[in-house]
């Protein structure tokens, strides 16, 4: 990430940290909602471009995001994304990548609150070693032609019931 996107992500991380400090915020739900927004913006390239268009005011982009996401995701997720689209992004793809990163962070916050962070870290480390030692698995997970859904199903079949939900 370059300049403007790096700054925008830093600001979004600060907002996520502030939300995480509030124990009434359901971090797992926030992670789920942010993942849903990531999937939406992955599919809808034109929407992603509109939400990162530097010619549009931050407020108009935030209003659009609020209208689209209101009632679809939690208020915390909608507010976080609305704040993110107010920022300037170097590339429209950086917004999606940043929301995905925040979803992962929220998942880890949920695991920490549940006392499972050490187990999740261990499982991710072990799975990373498995992926690095298997060229077939690595190829399947990085295949640009395969859908995200297919990759997620592969991961569920490999890890389902054997690893913490966050992992």
């Amino acid at each position: 990430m370059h300049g403007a996107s790096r700054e925008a992500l830093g600001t979004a991380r600060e907002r996520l940290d502030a939300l995480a400090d509030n124990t009434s915020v359901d971090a797992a739900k926030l992670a789920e909602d942010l993942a849903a927004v990531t999937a939406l913006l992955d599919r809808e390239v034109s929407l992603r471009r509109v939400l990162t268009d530097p010619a549009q005011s931050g407020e108009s982009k935030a209003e659009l995001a609020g209208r689209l996401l209101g009632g679809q995701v939690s208020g915390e997720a909608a507010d976080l994304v609305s704040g993110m689209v107010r920022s300037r992004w170097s590339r429209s793809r950086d917004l999606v990548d940043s929301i995905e990163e925040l979803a992962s962070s929220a998942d880890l916050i949920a695991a920490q609150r549940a006392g499972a962070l050490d187990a999740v870290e261990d499982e991710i480390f072990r799975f990373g070693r498995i992926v690095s030692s298997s060229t077939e698995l690595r190829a399947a997970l990085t295949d640009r032609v395969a859908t995200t859904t297919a990759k997620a199903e592969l991961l569920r079949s490999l890890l389902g019931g054997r690893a913490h939900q966050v992992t």
Side-chain angles (χ1 to χ4, degrees):
M1 253 182 238
H2 295 59
S5 292
R6 193 174 24 249
E7 287 178 33
L9 175 57
T11 301
R13 282 182 186 139
E14 289 173 7
R15 289 185 187 127
L16 178 64
D17 289 344
L19 283 172
D21 287 343
N22 182 350
T23 56
S24 68
V25 173
D26 182 348
K29 173 70 173 141
L30 180 60
E32 180 183 316
D33 289 345
L34 292 174
V37 173
T38 299
L40 171 68
L41 295 178
D42 247 350
R43 280 191 320 271
E44 303 297 333
V45 176
S46 57
L47 174 59
R48 182 172 71 219
R49 288 187 182 133
V50 167
L51 292 176
T52 58
D53 183 356
Q56 300 297 319
S57 75
E59 194 55 40
S60 67
K61 293 184 287 187
E63 287 175 14
L64 174 61
R67 283 194 315 269
L68 290 173
L69 300 176
Q72 303 297 313
V73 297
S74 67
E76 293 88 2
D79 289 346
L80 185 57
V81 173
S82 291
M84 292 175 77
V85 300
R86 282 185 179 95
S87 297
R88 188 171 184 88
W89 296 90
S90 303
R91 298 178 319 142
S92 64
R93 181 73 216 171
D94 291 347
L95 172 65
V96 180
D97 292 343
S98 296
I99 296 170
E100 183 176 36
E101 180 180 320
L102 295 181
S104 296
S105 295
D107 263 335
L108 294 174
I109 291 165
Q112 183 177 26
R113 287 181 181 173
L117 186 58
D118 288 341
V120 168
E121 287 176 343
D122 183 56
E123 290 169 352
I124 290 172
F125 175 77
R126 285 187 285 131
F127 188 70
R129 292 189 59 144
I130 291 168
V131 171
S132 68
S133 68
S134 171
T135 54
E136 292 170 345
L137 179 56
R138 191 171 49 253
L141 292 173
T142 59
D143 183 357
R144 292 181 186 260
V145 177
T147 65
T148 303
T149 304
K151 293 176 189 180
E153 187 55 41
L154 173 61
L155 289 173
R156 276 189 213 90
S157 71
L158 293 171
L159 297 175
R162 294 181 200 87
H164 190 279
Q165 178 65 30
V166 170
T167 303

